[in-house]
Amino acid sequence: MAESAGAAGGARRGWTLVVSCLAVALVMAGVASLTTALPELAAAIGASQTQATWIVDAYTLVLAGVLLPAGAVGDRLGRRGLLLAGLVVFAAGSALPVVVDSPGGVIVCRAVAGLGAALVMPATLSILTAEFPARQAARAVGVWA
């Protein structure tokens, strides 16, 4: 009976690691995909060079500025809820540029996606360190990184 409980806990931890890694990969893909699509996007919406720079930098700036406070919020209010909220905000910020046709609107959408990313990143790491025993946490964080 103890072995089946241990196996179930191991499977749960495995899924936690997979979901955390996929969430972080999604956030990182948000940066990489925009870099590839930026020339066509800027031409389609008539963005100047300065506006194109802000389309890229709004995401990174908000992500960097909100990352640490988001970790503290997750510790106080709940990691899983913060992760889910972050994924919803990230999805909204990533999907809205499809209907936005102005450089300013795309910049705002990218900032919203950066906010979602800032909520996702610390939540995934915090969930991993809470879910895995101390002897396995280092390996899980290594896979996550």
Side-chain angles (χ1 to χ4, degrees):
M1 178 93 118
E3 284 183 31
S4 67
R12 188 179 85 196
R13 284 191 293 272
W15 277 111
T16 300
L17 181 59
V18 167
V19 169
S20 294
C21 289
L22 288 174
V24 170
L26 181 68
V27 166
M28 292 294 112
V31 175
S33 63
L34 179 67
T35 303
T36 304
L38 187 60
E40 291 84 15
L41 174 64
I45 61 173
S48 68
Q49 182 62 42
T50 302
Q51 291 167 326
T53 300
W54 273 108
I55 289 171
V56 173
D57 291 346
Y59 180 91
T60 309
L61 182 64
V62 173
L63 171 64
V66 179
L67 191 63
L68 289 176
V73 168
D75 289 341
R76 287 187 182 89
L77 300 180
R79 299 169 182 111
R80 290 177 198 239
L82 190 70
L83 174 61
L84 292 175
L87 289 171
V88 168
V89 170
F90 179 81
S94 297
L96 284 175
V98 171
V99 296
V100 173
D101 61 356
S102 71
V106 174
I107 292 168
V108 169
C109 290
R110 292 298 297 163
V112 169
L115 174 63
L119 300 176
V120 167
M121 294 288 286
T124 57
L125 182 58
S126 183
I127 288 169
L128 286 180
T129 58
E131 181 71 26
F132 283 83
R135 66 185 188 284
Q136 295 175 344
R139 181 176 292 161
V141 170
V143 170
W144 173 88

